[in-house]
Amino acid sequence: MSKFLLSSLTVAVLAGFSAQAQTAPAQPNDFIQVFAKLFGEHQGVRKGHAKGVCAVGDFTPSAAAAARFDAALFSSATVPVTYRFSMAGGNPNVPDYARSPRGLGAQFTLADGSKHNIATLTTPVFGAKNPENFLGLLKASVPGVDGKPDLAKIQAFRAAHPDTQPQAQWLAANPPPWSYATAEYFGIHTFYLADKSGEKAKIRWHLQPKDGVKGLTEAEIAQQNANFLDERLKQRLTDGAVEFDWIISFGEANDSDIDPSQQWPERPTLNAGTLRIKASGDASCSNINFDPNVMSRGFSASADPVLRMRSPAYAISFGKRLSGQ
Ligand code: HEM
């Protein structure tokens, strides 16, 4: 056998091996199953972000956004918005002082009846760069027969998958929000947005609270008050609307558009408008699936695999909870 043939065979065999050793692609239902193992089965509620509160209000685009972008959401006047503030995870009884992300979903209804959804977190990055590593981290966190998570196993997984570290580090370094109204909410993924010159801008964005960013103190966390966020929001709304600026950042060539575990460096921004929350505590969001891939004309999704995984996973959760499962 020639040397060349031998080395080609070696390469082919090794390639076969490494393909086998690769993690199998994560499936949407894998997440629903692992959430049930982590948080228990809770019928009729969201399998992620199980605890939350609905709110209603509107959105007014800025003149700068209307001038720059060719996007239905930014060219219309004020549109109505249904919101949901939430706690991450599938436990509907998780305490409000938990060191986990908070979420904000918003569904905009445009003048022609079309919908635009966003679903954001209070962390600037996500917990993994792709669905496989997120699933691996969740699986490593499932408690053993003694009912306790195996911390060494979780640590080993994080060490082997560095993309699962930045979100945990951010959560360790920043206190949980004092109120749903005093947190920044990040879109995290990269999106593309058509501008009036026919180009597509590569963007990320976050919502900046006009009430300012304020976290719980260590003493407040120690009080272990399990349910204050809904009431604090309701109380705050008696003084008038809660507002957030929608801040868009413009990515540069080297900024990843597929890795939600990496934060972009500081980039030029544009204030695209004001989200306003006027009342909370009704049932307006119960039957909404805040699938972030439902977008109005002008916006498009990046190839971020985590963003792609969200639609099918949310659809399964939505179907289950609407049918009482
Ligand atoms: C593979 C990654 C992810 C999976 C499998 C996942 C899964 C889920 C599921 C099953 C739900 C419940 C949906 C429903 O019943 O309506 C949910 C809700 C939510 N997720 Fe995710 N998620 C992922 C990534 C993300 C990311 C990257 C963000 C933020 C950028 C996010 C933010 C939210 C929010 C805010 C909600 C609550 C929406 C509401 O209030 O209805 N998720 N997630």
Side-chain angles (χ1 to χ4, degrees):
M1 197 183 289
S2 78
K3 252 188 181 174
F4 172 74
L5 195 58
L6 200 62
S7 63
S8 320
L9 266 177
T10 313
V11 169
V13 169
L14 284 178
F17 262 121
S18 74
Q20 270 182 6
Q22 262 172 16
T23 326
Q27 301 300 321
N29 203 42
D30 295 342
F31 291 96
I32 305 300
Q33 286 173 343
V34 79
F35 287 164
K37 285 192 185 144
L38 281 168
F39 305 112
E41 306 255 6
H42 303 282
Q43 289 171 348
V45 300
R46 285 163 169 83
K47 309 308 165 198
H49 294 249
K51 184 180 191 183
V53 62
C54 301
V56 290
D58 56 29
F59 168 69
T60 307
S62 68
R68 179 150 178 180
F69 301 119
D70 184 16
L73 187 57
F74 296 144
S75 49
S76 46
T78 297
V79 295
V81 185
T82 306
Y83 299 94
R84 184 169 179 270
F85 291 94
S86 58
M87 298 287 298
N91 175 6
N93 303 310
V94 63
D96 288 355
Y97 55 83
R99 282 191 182 272
S100 58
R102 310 291 176 268
L104 175 56
Q107 180 166 84
F108 306 75
T109 302
L110 281 70
D112 65 359
S114 61
K115 306 286 186 190
H116 186 109
N117 291 344
I118 62 174
T120 65
L121 294 179
T122 47
T123 52
V125 290
F126 189 58
K129 68 177 178 184
N130 58 32
E132 287 69 32
N133 287 3
F134 183 42
L135 184 65
L137 178 64
L138 295 170
K139 283 186 171 168
S141 311
V142 171
V145 276
D146 60 355
K148 291 188 191 143
D150 182 342
L151 295 182
K153 196 169 160 187
I154 300 172
Q155 260 172 16
F157 188 89
R158 286 197 191 279
H161 302 87
D163 56 298
T164 61
Q165 297 171 16
Q167 189 193 46
Q169 285 160 358
W170 193 94
L171 286 167
N174 291 275
W178 184 83
S179 154
Y180 279 137
T182 63
E184 290 180 295
Y185 293 87
F186 298 86
I188 300 181
H189 308 289
T190 304
F191 293 92
Y192 285 87
L193 184 52
D195 69 24
K196 291 213 163 142
S197 66
E199 299 287 308
K200 282 188 171 182
K202 176 167 136 186
I203 62 156
R204 286 187 177 180
W205 48 262
H206 71 280
L207 309 177
Q208 185 72 45
K210 289 199 182 172
D211 283 11
V213 174
K214 182 178 168 188
L216 295 172
T217 62
E218 287 303 324
E220 284 166 332
I221 295 173
Q223 280 170 10
Q224 305 208 325
N225 183 351
N227 298 298
F228 62 88
L229 283 171
D230 294 5
E231 189 47 42
R232 200 162 271 179
L233 178 64
K234 212 174 194 47
Q235 189 59 38
R236 164 63 187 77
L237 288 167
T238 60
D239 290 337
V242 166
E243 295 185 336
F244 293 87
D245 283 326
W246 187 341
I247 308 296
I248 289 181
S249 301
F250 296 92
E252 294 182 6
N254 288 336
D255 297 337
S256 174
D257 65 349
I258 54 164
D259 183 349
S261 71
Q262 277 182 36
Q263 197 172 1
W264 286 355
E266 202 127 308
R267 294 294 180 219
T269 59
L270 178 147
N271 184 343
T274 306
L275 291 100
R276 212 167 286 109
I277 290 109
K278 294 177 170 170
S280 69
D282 62 359
S284 55
C285 67
S286 304
N287 290 353
I288 294 181
N289 171 358
F290 290 93
D291 176 347
N293 287 298
V294 173
M295 284 175 275
S296 53
R297 185 185 55 77
F299 281 81
S300 46
S302 64
D304 178 339
V306 175
L307 178 58
R308 291 192 169 173
M309 178 55 74
R310 291 177 68 186
S311 296
Y314 288 32
I316 297 171
S317 173
F318 189 54
K320 279 188 176 259
R321 62 185 170 88
L322 289 196
S323 58
Q325 297 173 67

